Amino acid sequence: KELILSHIRRMARESGGVPPGRARFQKETGISAQRILGRYWARWSDAVLEGGSSQTRRLLLSQTKPHWMASCL
């Protein structure tokens, strides 16, 4: 689990704070979503949230919540 989180953090850092999507994560690490989801997290976004910074959290929440809610974070 910690290895996965460290990959997420590194990849987000290298791309200016933008978290990796599942496809990019698998391509760069060789770790498939099937090995991660259901074992450590229910959804990919849960893994990214746990591994991410507050900037990552705001980005993900802005994509899933109404704009006015994301600006309150």
Coordinates of all heavy atoms in Angstrom, one line a residue:
K1 N 0.8 -1.2 0.0 CA 0.0 0.0 0.0 C 0.9 1.3 0.0 O 0.6 2.2 -0.8 CB -0.9 0.0 1.2 CG -1.9 1.1 1.3 CD -2.9 1.0 2.4 CE -3.8 2.1 2.5 NZ -4.8 2.0 3.6
E2 N 1.9 1.3 0.8 CA 2.8 2.5 0.9 C 3.5 2.7 -0.4 O 3.8 3.8 -0.8 CB 3.7 2.4 2.1 CG 3.0 2.6 3.4 CD 2.3 3.9 3.5 OE1 2.8 5.0 3.0 OE2 1.1 3.9 3.9
L3 N 3.9 1.6 -1.1 CA 4.6 1.7 -2.4 C 3.7 2.4 -3.4 O 4.1 3.3 -4.1 CB 5.0 0.4 -2.9 CG 5.7 0.3 -4.3 CD1 7.0 1.1 -4.3 CD2 5.9 -1.1 -4.7
I4 N 2.4 2.0 -3.4 CA 1.4 2.6 -4.3 C 1.3 4.1 -4.0 O 1.3 4.9 -4.9 CB 0.1 1.8 -4.2 CG1 0.3 0.4 -4.7 CG2 -1.0 2.5 -5.0 CD1 -0.8 -0.6 -4.3
L5 N 1.1 4.4 -2.8 CA 0.9 5.8 -2.4 C 2.2 6.6 -2.7 O 2.0 7.7 -3.2 CB 0.7 5.9 -0.9 CG -0.7 5.3 -0.4 CD1 -0.8 5.3 1.1 CD2 -1.8 6.1 -1.0
S6 N 3.4 6.0 -2.6 CA 4.6 6.8 -2.9 C 4.6 7.0 -4.4 O 5.1 8.1 -4.9 CB 5.8 6.1 -2.4 OG 6.1 4.9 -3.1
H7 N 4.2 6.1 -5.2 CA 4.1 6.3 -6.7 C 3.2 7.4 -7.1 O 3.4 8.2 -7.9 CB 3.7 5.0 -7.4 CG 4.8 3.9 -7.6 ND1 6.0 4.2 -8.1 CD2 4.8 2.6 -7.2 CE1 6.8 3.1 -8.1 NE2 6.0 2.1 -7.6
I8 N 2.0 7.4 -6.4 CA 1.0 8.4 -6.7 C 1.5 9.8 -6.4 O 1.4 10.7 -7.1 CB -0.3 8.1 -5.9 CG1 -1.0 6.9 -6.5 CG2 -1.3 9.3 -5.9 CD1 -2.2 6.4 -5.7
R9 N 2.2 9.9 -5.2 CA 2.8 11.2 -4.8 C 3.8 11.6 -5.8 O 3.9 12.8 -6.2 CB 3.3 11.1 -3.4 CG 2.3 10.9 -2.3 CD 2.9 10.8 -0.9 NE 1.9 10.4 0.0 CZ 1.9 9.3 0.8 NH1 2.9 8.5 0.6 NH2 1.0 9.0 1.6
R10 N 4.7 10.7 -6.1 CA 5.8 11.1 -7.1 C 5.3 11.5 -8.4 O 5.7 12.6 -8.9 CB 6.7 9.9 -7.2 CG 7.8 10.1 -8.3 CD 8.6 8.9 -8.6 NE 7.8 7.7 -9.0 CZ 7.3 7.6 -10.2 NH1 7.5 8.5 -11.2 NH2 6.6 6.5 -10.5
M11 N 4.3 10.8 -8.9 CA 3.8 11.1 -10.2 C 3.0 12.4 -10.2 O 3.1 13.2 -11.2 CB 2.9 9.9 -10.7 CG 3.7 8.7 -11.0 SD 2.6 7.2 -11.3 CE 2.1 7.6 -13.0
A12 N 2.3 12.7 -9.2 CA 1.6 14.0 -9.0 C 2.6 15.1 -8.9 O 2.4 16.2 -9.6 CB 0.7 14.0 -7.8
R13 N 3.6 14.9 -8.2 CA 4.7 15.9 -8.0 C 5.4 16.2 -9.4 O 5.6 17.4 -9.7 CB 5.7 15.4 -7.0 CG 6.7 16.5 -6.5 CD 7.6 16.0 -5.4 NE 8.1 14.7 -5.6 CZ 7.8 13.5 -4.9 NH1 6.8 13.6 -4.0 NH2 8.4 12.4 -5.2
E14 N 5.6 15.2 -10.1 CA 6.3 15.3 -11.4 C 5.4 16.0 -12.5 O 5.9 16.5 -13.5 CB 6.8 14.0 -11.9 CG 7.9 13.4 -11.2 CD 8.2 11.9 -11.5 OE1 7.5 11.3 -12.4 OE2 9.2 11.4 -11.0
S15 N 4.1 16.0 -12.3 CA 3.2 16.6 -13.2 C 2.5 17.8 -12.7 O 1.4 18.2 -13.1 CB 2.2 15.6 -13.7 OG 1.4 15.2 -12.6
G16 N 3.2 18.5 -11.8 CA 2.8 19.8 -11.3 C 1.6 19.7 -10.4 O 0.8 20.6 -10.3
G17 N 1.4 18.6 -9.7 CA 0.3 18.4 -8.7 C -0.9 17.7 -9.3 O -1.8 17.4 -8.5
V18 N -0.9 17.3 -10.5 CA -2.0 16.6 -11.1 C -1.8 15.1 -10.9 O -0.8 14.6 -11.2 CB -2.1 16.9 -12.7 CG1 -3.2 16.1 -13.3 CG2 -2.2 18.4 -12.9
P19 N -2.8 14.5 -10.2 CA -2.7 13.1 -9.9 C -2.7 12.2 -11.1 O -3.4 12.6 -12.1 CB -3.9 12.8 -9.0 CG -4.9 13.9 -9.4 CD -4.1 15.1 -9.8
P20 N -2.1 11.1 -11.1 CA -2.1 10.2 -12.3 C -3.5 9.5 -12.4 O -4.1 9.2 -11.4 CB -1.0 9.2 -12.0 CG -1.0 9.1 -10.5 CD -1.3 10.5 -10.0
G21 N -3.9 9.3 -13.6 CA -5.1 8.4 -13.8 C -4.7 7.0 -13.7 O -3.5 6.7 -13.7
R22 N -5.6 6.1 -13.7 CA -5.3 4.7 -13.6 C -4.5 4.2 -14.8 O -3.5 3.4 -14.6 CB -6.6 3.8 -13.6 CG -7.3 3.9 -12.3 CD -8.4 2.9 -12.1 NE -9.4 3.0 -13.2 CZ -10.5 2.3 -13.3 NH1 -10.8 1.4 -12.3 NH2 -11.3 2.4 -14.3
A23 N -4.8 4.6 -16.0 CA -4.0 4.1 -17.2 C -2.5 4.6 -17.1 O -1.6 3.8 -17.3 CB -4.6 4.6 -18.5
R24 N -2.3 5.8 -16.7 CA -0.9 6.3 -16.6 C -0.2 5.6 -15.5 O 1.0 5.3 -15.6 CB -0.9 7.8 -16.4 CG 0.5 8.4 -16.3 CD 0.5 9.9 -16.1 NE 1.7 10.3 -15.5 CZ 1.8 11.2 -14.5 NH1 0.7 11.8 -14.0 NH2 2.9 11.5 -14.0
F25 N -0.9 5.5 -14.4 CA -0.3 4.8 -13.2 C 0.2 3.4 -13.6 O 1.3 3.0 -13.4 CB -1.3 4.7 -12.1 CG -0.7 4.1 -10.9 CD1 0.1 4.8 -9.9 CD2 -0.8 2.7 -10.6 CE1 0.6 4.2 -8.8 CE2 -0.3 2.1 -9.5 CZ 0.4 2.9 -8.6
Q26 N -0.7 2.6 -14.3 CA -0.4 1.3 -14.7 C 0.8 1.2 -15.7 O 1.7 0.4 -15.6 CB -1.6 0.5 -15.3 CG -1.3 -0.9 -15.6 CD -2.5 -1.7 -16.1 OE1 -3.6 -1.3 -15.7 NE2 -2.3 -2.8 -16.8
K27 N 0.7 2.2 -16.7 CA 1.7 2.2 -17.7 C 3.1 2.5 -17.1 O 4.1 1.8 -17.5 CB 1.4 3.3 -18.7 CG 2.4 3.4 -19.9 CD 2.0 4.4 -20.9 CE 3.0 4.5 -22.0 NZ 2.6 5.6 -23.0
E28 N 3.2 3.4 -16.2 CA 4.5 3.8 -15.6 C 5.0 2.9 -14.5 O 6.2 2.8 -14.3 CB 4.4 5.2 -15.1 CG 4.3 6.2 -16.2 CD 4.4 7.7 -15.7 OE1 5.1 7.9 -14.7 OE2 3.9 8.6 -16.4
T29 N 4.1 2.2 -13.8 CA 4.5 1.4 -12.7 C 4.4 -0.1 -12.9 O 5.0 -0.9 -12.2 CB 3.7 1.7 -11.4 OG1 2.3 1.3 -11.6 CG2 3.8 3.1 -11.0
G30 N 3.5 -0.5 -13.9 CA 3.3 -1.9 -14.1 C 2.3 -2.6 -13.1 O 2.1 -3.8 -13.1
I31 N 1.7 -1.7 -12.2 CA 0.8 -2.2 -11.2 C -0.6 -1.9 -11.7 O -1.0 -0.8 -11.9 CB 1.0 -1.5 -9.9 CG1 2.4 -1.7 -9.4 CG2 0.0 -2.0 -8.8 CD1 2.8 -0.8 -8.2
S32 N -1.4 -3.0 -11.9 CA -2.7 -2.8 -12.5 C -3.7 -2.4 -11.4 O -3.6 -2.7 -10.2 CB -3.2 -4.1 -13.2 OG -3.4 -5.1 -12.2
A33 N -4.8 -1.8 -11.9 CA -5.9 -1.4 -11.0 C -6.5 -2.6 -10.3 O -6.9 -2.6 -9.2 CB -6.9 -0.6 -11.7
Q34 N -6.5 -3.7 -11.0 CA -7.1 -5.0 -10.4 C -6.3 -5.4 -9.2 O -6.9 -6.0 -8.3 CB -7.1 -6.1 -11.5 CG -8.1 -5.9 -12.6 CD -7.6 -4.9 -13.6 OE1 -6.5 -4.5 -13.7 NE2 -8.6 -4.4 -14.5
R35 N -5.0 -5.1 -9.1 CA -4.2 -5.5 -7.9 C -4.5 -4.5 -6.8 O -4.1 -4.9 -5.6 CB -2.8 -5.5 -8.3 CG -2.4 -6.7 -9.2 CD -1.0 -6.7 -9.6 NE -0.1 -6.6 -8.5 CZ 1.2 -6.3 -8.6 NH1 1.8 -6.0 -9.7 NH2 2.0 -6.2 -7.5
I36 N -5.0 -3.4 -7.1 CA -5.2 -2.3 -6.1 C -6.6 -2.2 -5.6 O -6.9 -2.2 -4.4 CB -4.8 -0.9 -6.7 CG1 -3.3 -1.0 -7.1 CG2 -5.1 0.2 -5.7 CD1 -2.9 0.2 -7.9
L37 N -7.5 -2.1 -6.5 CA -8.9 -1.9 -6.2 C -9.6 -3.1 -5.6 O -9.4 -4.2 -6.0 CB -9.7 -1.4 -7.4 CG -9.1 -0.1 -8.0 CD1 -10.0 0.3 -9.2 CD2 -9.0 1.0 -7.0
G38 N -10.3 -2.9 -4.5 CA -10.9 -4.0 -3.8 C -10.0 -4.6 -2.7 O -10.5 -5.3 -1.8
R39 N -8.7 -4.3 -2.9 CA -7.8 -4.8 -1.9 C -7.4 -3.7 -0.9 O -7.4 -4.0 0.3 CB -6.5 -5.3 -2.6 CG -5.5 -5.9 -1.7 CD -4.4 -6.5 -2.5 NE -3.4 -7.2 -1.6 CZ -2.3 -7.8 -1.9 NH1 -2.0 -7.9 -3.2 NH2 -1.5 -8.3 -1.1
Y40 N -7.0 -2.6 -1.4 CA -6.6 -1.4 -0.6 C -7.7 -0.3 -0.6 O -7.9 0.3 0.4 CB -5.3 -0.9 -1.0 CG -4.2 -1.9 -1.0 CD1 -3.5 -2.3 -2.1 CD2 -3.7 -2.4 0.2 CE1 -2.5 -3.2 -2.1 CE2 -2.7 -3.3 0.3 CZ -2.1 -3.7 -0.9 OH -1.0 -4.6 -0.9
W41 N -8.3 -0.1 -1.7 CA -9.3 1.0 -1.9 C -10.4 0.5 -2.8 O -10.2 -0.3 -3.6 CB -8.6 2.2 -2.5 CG -7.5 2.8 -1.8 CD1 -7.6 3.6 -0.7 CD2 -6.1 2.6 -2.0 NE1 -6.3 3.9 -0.2 CE2 -5.4 3.3 -1.0 CE3 -5.4 1.8 -2.9 CZ2 -4.0 3.3 -0.9 CZ3 -4.0 1.8 -2.8 CH2 -3.3 2.6 -1.8
A42 N -11.6 1.1 -2.5 CA -12.7 0.7 -3.4 C -12.7 1.4 -4.7 O -13.1 0.8 -5.7 CB -14.0 1.1 -2.6
R43 N -12.2 2.6 -4.8 CA -12.1 3.4 -6.1 C -10.7 4.0 -6.2 O -10.0 4.2 -5.3 CB -13.1 4.5 -6.0 CG -14.6 4.0 -6.0 CD -15.5 5.2 -5.9 NE -15.2 6.1 -4.7 CZ -15.8 6.0 -3.5 NH1 -16.7 5.0 -3.3 NH2 -15.5 6.7 -2.5
W44 N -10.4 4.2 -7.5 CA -9.1 4.8 -7.8 C -9.0 6.2 -7.1 O -7.9 6.6 -6.6 CB -8.8 4.9 -9.3 CG -7.6 5.6 -9.6 CD1 -7.4 6.8 -10.2 CD2 -6.2 5.1 -9.4 NE1 -6.1 7.2 -10.3 CE2 -5.3 6.1 -9.8 CE3 -5.7 4.0 -8.8 CZ2 -4.0 6.0 -9.7 CZ3 -4.4 3.8 -8.7 CH2 -3.5 4.8 -9.1
S45 N -10.1 6.9 -7.1 CA -10.0 8.3 -6.5 C -9.7 8.2 -5.0 O -9.1 9.1 -4.5 CB -11.3 9.0 -6.8 OG -12.4 8.3 -6.3
D46 N -10.1 7.1 -4.4 CA -9.8 7.0 -2.9 C -8.3 6.8 -2.7 O -7.7 7.4 -1.8 CB -10.5 5.7 -2.4 CG -12.0 5.9 -2.4 OD1 -12.5 7.0 -2.3 OD2 -12.7 4.8 -2.4
A47 N -7.7 6.1 -3.6 CA -6.2 5.9 -3.5 C -5.5 7.2 -3.8 O -4.6 7.6 -3.1 CB -5.7 4.9 -4.5
V48 N -6.0 8.0 -4.8 CA -5.4 9.3 -5.1 C -5.6 10.3 -4.0 O -4.7 11.0 -3.6 CB -5.9 9.8 -6.4 CG1 -5.5 11.2 -6.7 CG2 -5.5 8.9 -7.6
L49 N -6.8 10.3 -3.4 CA -7.0 11.1 -2.2 C -6.1 10.8 -1.1 O -5.6 11.7 -0.4 CB -8.5 11.0 -1.8 CG -9.5 11.8 -2.6 CD1 -10.9 11.4 -2.2 CD2 -9.3 13.3 -2.5
E50 N -5.9 9.6 -0.8 CA -5.1 9.2 0.3 C -3.6 9.6 0.1 O -2.9 10.0 1.0 CB -5.2 7.7 0.7 CG -4.4 7.3 1.9 CD -4.7 5.9 2.3 OE1 -5.7 5.3 2.0 OE2 -3.8 5.3 3.0
G51 N -3.2 9.4 -1.2 CA -1.8 9.7 -1.5 C -1.5 11.1 -1.9 O -0.4 11.5 -1.9
G52 N -2.6 11.9 -2.1 CA -2.4 13.2 -2.6 C -2.3 14.3 -1.6 O -2.5 14.2 -0.4
S53 N -1.9 15.4 -2.1 CA -1.8 16.7 -1.3 C -3.2 17.3 -1.3 O -4.1 16.9 -1.9 CB -0.8 17.6 -2.0 OG -1.3 18.0 -3.3
S54 N -3.3 18.4 -0.6 CA -4.5 19.2 -0.5 C -4.9 19.7 -1.9 O -6.1 19.8 -2.2 CB -4.5 20.3 0.5 OG -3.4 21.2 0.1
Q55 N -3.9 20.0 -2.7 CA -4.2 20.4 -4.1 C -4.8 19.3 -4.9 O -5.8 19.6 -5.6 CB -2.9 20.8 -4.8 CG -3.0 21.3 -6.2 CD -1.8 21.6 -6.9 OE1 -0.7 21.7 -6.3 NE2 -1.8 21.9 -8.2
T56 N -4.4 18.1 -4.7 CA -5.0 17.0 -5.4 C -6.4 16.8 -4.9 O -7.3 16.5 -5.7 CB -4.1 15.7 -5.1 OG1 -2.8 15.9 -5.5 CG2 -4.7 14.5 -5.8
R57 N -6.6 16.9 -3.6 CA -8.0 16.7 -3.0 C -8.9 17.8 -3.6 O -10.0 17.5 -4.0 CB -7.9 16.9 -1.5 CG -7.3 15.7 -0.8 CD -7.4 15.8 0.7 NE -6.8 14.6 1.3 CZ -5.6 14.6 1.7 NH1 -4.8 15.6 1.6 NH2 -5.1 13.5 2.3
R58 N -8.5 19.0 -3.7 CA -9.3 20.1 -4.3 C -9.6 19.8 -5.7 O -10.7 20.0 -6.2 CB -8.6 21.5 -4.2 CG -8.7 22.0 -2.8 CD -8.3 23.5 -2.7 NE -7.0 23.7 -3.2 CZ -5.9 23.7 -2.5 NH1 -5.9 23.4 -1.3 NH2 -4.7 23.9 -3.1
L59 N -8.6 19.3 -6.5 CA -8.8 19.0 -7.9 C -9.9 17.9 -8.1 O -10.8 18.0 -8.8 CB -7.5 18.6 -8.6 CG -7.6 18.1 -10.0 CD1 -8.0 19.3 -10.9 CD2 -6.3 17.5 -10.5
L60 N -9.7 16.8 -7.3 CA -10.7 15.7 -7.4 C -12.1 16.1 -6.9 O -13.1 15.8 -7.6 CB -10.2 14.5 -6.5 CG -9.1 13.7 -7.1 CD1 -8.6 12.7 -6.1 CD2 -9.5 13.0 -8.4
L61 N -12.2 16.9 -5.9 CA -13.5 17.3 -5.4 C -14.1 18.3 -6.4 O -15.3 18.3 -6.6 CB -13.4 18.0 -4.0 CG -13.1 17.0 -2.9 CD1 -12.8 17.7 -1.6 CD2 -14.2 16.0 -2.7
S62 N -13.3 19.1 -7.0 CA -13.9 20.1 -8.0 C -14.5 19.3 -9.2 O -15.4 19.8 -9.9 CB -12.9 21.1 -8.5 OG -11.9 20.4 -9.3
Q63 N -14.0 18.1 -9.5 CA -14.5 17.3 -10.6 C -15.7 16.5 -10.2 O -16.5 16.1 -11.1 CB -13.4 16.3 -11.0 CG -12.2 17.0 -11.7 CD -11.1 16.0 -11.9 OE1 -11.1 14.9 -11.5 NE2 -10.0 16.5 -12.6
T64 N -16.0 16.4 -8.9 CA -17.1 15.5 -8.5 C -18.2 16.3 -7.7 O -19.3 15.8 -7.6 CB -16.7 14.4 -7.6 OG1 -16.0 14.9 -6.4 CG2 -15.7 13.5 -8.3
K65 N -17.9 17.5 -7.2 CA -18.8 18.3 -6.5 C -19.2 19.6 -7.3 O -18.4 20.0 -8.1 CB -18.2 18.7 -5.1 CG -17.8 17.6 -4.3 CD -18.9 16.8 -3.7 CE -18.5 15.7 -2.8 NZ -19.4 14.7 -2.6
P66 N -20.3 20.2 -6.9 CA -20.7 21.4 -7.6 C -19.6 22.5 -7.3 O -18.9 22.4 -6.3 CB -22.0 21.9 -6.9 CG -22.5 20.6 -6.4 CD -21.4 19.7 -6.0
H67 N -19.4 23.4 -8.2 CA -18.3 24.4 -8.2 C -18.3 25.1 -6.8 O -17.2 25.3 -6.2 CB -18.4 25.3 -9.3 CG -17.3 26.3 -9.4 ND1 -17.1 27.3 -8.4 CD2 -16.3 26.5 -10.3 CE1 -16.0 28.0 -8.7 NE2 -15.5 27.5 -9.8
W68 N -19.5 25.5 -6.3 CA -19.5 26.3 -5.1 C -19.0 25.5 -3.9 O -18.4 26.1 -3.0 CB -20.9 26.8 -4.8 CG -21.9 25.8 -4.6 CD1 -22.7 25.1 -5.6 CD2 -22.3 25.2 -3.4 NE1 -23.5 24.2 -5.0 CE2 -23.3 24.2 -3.6 CE3 -21.8 25.3 -2.1 CZ2 -23.8 23.4 -2.6 CZ3 -22.4 24.5 -1.1 CH2 -23.4 23.6 -1.4
M69 N -19.1 24.1 -3.9 CA -18.6 23.3 -2.8 C -17.1 23.2 -2.9 O -16.4 23.3 -1.8 CB -19.3 22.0 -2.8 CG -20.7 21.9 -2.5 SD -21.4 20.3 -2.5 CE -20.8 19.6 -0.9
A70 N -16.5 23.1 -4.0 CA -15.1 22.9 -4.2 C -14.4 24.2 -3.8 O -13.3 24.1 -3.2 CB -14.8 22.5 -5.6
S71 N -15.0 25.3 -4.0 CA -14.3 26.6 -3.6 C -14.3 26.8 -2.1 O -13.6 27.6 -1.6 CB -15.0 27.8 -4.3 OG -16.3 27.9 -3.9
C72 N -15.1 26.1 -1.4 CA -15.2 26.2 0.1 C -14.1 25.4 0.8 O -13.9 25.5 2.0 CB -16.5 25.7 0.6 SG -17.9 26.7 0.0
L73 N -13.3 24.6 0.0 CA -12.3 23.7 0.6 C -11.0 24.4 0.9 O -10.5 25.1 0.3 CB -12.1 22.5 -0.2 CG -13.3 21.7 -0.5 CD1 -13.0 20.6 -1.5 CD2 -13.8 21.1 0.8

